[in-house]
């Protein structure tokens, strides 16, 4: 047991969500006769859930700040139909369509952010109104019809890394990305050890680092193999590339920047943050605006994958995104959560949904099980808080990219030190 604690940094529970994800993968791999970890299924799983994971990235920042956004599905549908119509009727190239979608998302986000931040209407009410408003706008603009999009635009939602270089039997770009990921993991571990040694901090035994690197590298290599050996014409999906870039960007913003610290501070204790010099209205405005931009991007990715935009796009997406965030470790009261945790929570729901479909479970049973999983995840968290313990979910995901997440007193110190920067 002591060896396990050393391997996982002294707290084995912090990897609980990853363990849950691995358990589900192994469970469905066994009971579906090996269908879960086939290249085609893994590729389809990422393609079919990338837009929800992108929504979860924006939603976790909203929830950390102490708000909720119910309008993301309707915004995604509205942006999708507008982009589809402008490309069809104005004959715009695909990149102009994407630009229009992002700008429209920013405008919508600024609209909702204004009501939340500067008028003071609760985000729940503002986004509930937005859910109705933009759902109606989608059907009004599109006249409740399905609008196809050009083939070039479909690439962002259904495209794959191209085949380049010699014929190796694998997709060379996918293999290259996998090798870069392994190199980054090794460099990160070596860099962390060197920094710890240089300041005289305690360093884990070398064997711990070696085993950790072997396990992580093996997981990346196996995933690379699955993505690189799919049916002809497939490889690592473009939505996966977009998702990976967003995780890196928002993980950095939330954990390494003053803006990220301010978001946690506002969600943890709004009054303490204000006394420390944090502009809470600006934070509220930014998280709502950012959420709408990512909703627009998610809508365009879905439209690209579906080859068309329709009146029923985006229905229920907000619920899936919120579920992913809470399963991934966010607190209902705000101030707690991570980008990586939310993506892992989304993958848990995606694997659960995919596995149940492979087992032939009906939509009714699938919804029941997903609901119970969400309820159980939050119930355990609430129970631990009532018992005077630390949040179980917070403990599980504490070290996943959230170095700015802290108790209120720690938050005040951080913000005081950065106020005026």
């Amino acid at each position: 047991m002591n060896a396990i604690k050393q391997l996982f940094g002294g707290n084995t529970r912090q990897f609980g969500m990853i363990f849950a994800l691995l358990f589900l993968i192994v469970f469905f791999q066994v009971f579906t006769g090996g269908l879960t970890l086939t290249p085609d299924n893994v590729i389809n799983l990422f393609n079919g859930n990338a837009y929800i994971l992108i929504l979860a990235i924006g939603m976790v920042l909203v929830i950390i700040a102490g708000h909720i956004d119910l309008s993301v599905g309707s915004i995604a549908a509205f942006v999708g139909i507008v982009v589809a119509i402008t490309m069809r009727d104005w004959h715009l190239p695909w990149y102009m369509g994407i630009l229009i979608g992002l700008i429209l998302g920013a405008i919508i986000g600024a609209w909702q952010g204004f009501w939340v931040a500067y008028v003071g209407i609760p985000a729940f009410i503002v986004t509930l109104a937005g859910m109705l408003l933009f759902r109606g706008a989608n059907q009004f603009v599109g006249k409740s019809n399905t609008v196809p999009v050009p083939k070039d635009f479909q690439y962002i939602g259904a495209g794959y890394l191209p085949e380049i270089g010699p014929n190796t039997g694998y997709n060379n770009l996918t293999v290259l990305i996998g090798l870069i990921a392994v190199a980054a993991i090794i460099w990160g571990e070596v860099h962390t050890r060197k920094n710890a040694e240089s300041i005289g901090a305690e360093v884990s035994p070398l064997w711990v680092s070696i085993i950790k690197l072997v396990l992580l590298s093996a997981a990346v290599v196996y995933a690379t193999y699955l993505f690189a050996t799919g049916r002809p014409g497939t490889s690592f999906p473009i939505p996966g590339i977009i998702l990976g870039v967003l995780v890196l960007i928002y993980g950095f913003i939330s954990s390494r920047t003053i803006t990220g610290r301010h978001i946690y501070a506002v969600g943890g204790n709004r009054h303490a943050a204000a006394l420390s010099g944090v502009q809470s209205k600006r934070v509220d405005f930014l998280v709502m605006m950012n959420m709408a931009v990512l909703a627009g991007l998610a809508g365009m990715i879905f439209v690209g994958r579906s080859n068309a935009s329709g009146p029923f796009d985006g229905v229920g997406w907000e619920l899936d995104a919120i579920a992913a965030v809470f399963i991934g470790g966010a607190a209902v009261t705000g101030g707690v959560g991570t980008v990586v945790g939310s993506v892992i929570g989304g993958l848990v729901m995606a694997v659960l949904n995919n596995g149940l479909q492979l087992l032939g479970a009906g939509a009714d049973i699938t919804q029941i099980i997903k609901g119970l999983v969400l309820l159980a995840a939050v119930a355990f968290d609430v129970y631990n808080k009532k018992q005077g313990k630390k949040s179980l979910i917070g403990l599980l995901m504490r070290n996943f990219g959230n170095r700015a997440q802290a108790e209120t007193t720690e938050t005040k110190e951080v913000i005081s030190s950065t106020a005026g920067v």
Side-chain angles (χ1 to χ4, degrees), residues 237-371:
I238 297 302
I241 298 291
I242 297 173
L243 174 64
V245 171
L246 290 176
V247 168
L248 292 176
I249 292 174
Y250 281 91
F252 176 82
I253 291 174
S254 64
S255 63
R256 300 298 187 95
T257 67
I258 294 174
T259 299
R261 294 173 181 175
H262 287 187
I263 293 173
Y264 281 102
V266 169
N269 190 317
R270 183 173 294 268
H271 297 295
L275 291 174
S276 300
V278 176
Q279 299 179 16
S280 59
K281 292 183 178 180
R282 178 174 176 270
V283 169
D284 293 338
F285 182 84
L286 286 177
V287 295
M288 298 305 296
M289 184 174 179
N290 175 75
M291 180 71 261
V293 172
L294 290 181
L297 176 60
M300 289 187 286
I301 288 175
F302 180 82
V303 168
R305 184 171 185 268
S306 303
N307 303 334
S309 177
F312 300 109
D313 293 351
V315 174
W317 290 9
E318 59 279 344
L319 304 181
D320 289 333
I322 292 170
V325 171
F326 285 134
I327 290 175
V332 179
T333 53
V336 177
T338 65
V339 170
V340 174
S342 298
V343 172
I344 293 174
L347 287 174
V348 168
M349 296 296 282
V351 171
L352 181 63
N353 189 62
N354 176 260
L356 291 172
Q357 288 178 351
L358 291 175
L359 289 175
D364 49 354
I365 299 300
T366 299
Q367 293 295 332
I368 291 172
I369 294 177
K370 289 169 66 177

Side-chain angles (χ1 to χ4, degrees), residues 37-264:
L37 290 180
T38 61
D40 289 346
N41 186 65
V42 172
I43 291 172
N44 289 334
L45 189 146
F46 265 81
N47 262 340
N49 293 278
Y51 62 95
I52 295 297
L53 300 179
I54 289 173
L55 289 177
I57 292 173
M59 188 66 73
V60 70
L61 299 181
V62 172
I63 291 175
I64 288 170
H67 302 298
I68 202 79
D69 194 331
L70 301 177
S71 65
V72 294
S74 296
I75 293 173
F78 178 60
V79 170
I81 196 71
V82 169
V83 170
I85 290 176
T86 54
M87 289 191 296
R88 182 194 65 181
D89 296 347
W90 299 352
H91 307 290
L92 296 177
W94 62 271
Y95 53 86
M96 286 300 297
I98 294 175
L99 181 61
I100 288 174
L102 295 177
I103 293 175
L104 180 58
I107 294 172
I108 294 172
W111 161 264
Q112 297 198 140
F114 167 78
W115 291 104
V116 172
Y118 298 105
V119 179
I121 301 177
F124 180 88
I125 301 300
V126 172
T127 58
L128 178 61
M131 179 175 68
L132 301 174
L133 192 161
F134 296 110
R135 175 60 56 188
N138 165 271
Q139 296 175 355
F140 175 79
V141 171
K143 298 180 174 57
S144 297
N145 294 323
T146 298
V147 180
V149 293
K151 189 171 183 179
D152 290 342
F153 186 83
Q154 297 172 17
Y155 188 72
I156 68 167
Y160 301 95
L161 292 177
E163 299 285 350
I164 63 172
N167 183 10
T168 60
Y170 304 94
N171 180 268
N172 294 329
L173 281 180
T174 301
V175 173
L176 178 61
I177 290 176
L179 293 176
I180 292 174
V182 171
I185 291 171
I186 295 173
W187 179 86
E189 182 67 19
V190 172
H191 184 69
T192 300
R193 289 183 63 87
K194 285 185 176 180
N195 284 345
E197 291 172 353
S198 65
I199 62 176
E202 183 180 356
V203 181
S204 59
L206 182 60
W207 68 266
V208 172
S209 294
I210 293 175
I211 294 179
K212 189 184 300 183
L213 288 175
V214 169
L215 291 176
L216 291 174
S217 299
V220 172
V221 169
Y222 184 63
T224 301
Y225 168 77
L226 291 176
F227 284 112
T229 56
R231 66 184 184 276
T234 65
S235 59
F236 195 78
I238 297 302
I241 298 291
I242 297 173
L243 174 64
V245 171
L246 290 176
V247 168
L248 292 176
I249 292 174
Y250 281 91
F252 176 82
I253 291 174
S254 64
S255 63
R256 300 298 187 95
T257 67
I258 294 174
T259 299
R261 294 173 181 175
H262 287 187
I263 293 173
Y264 281 102

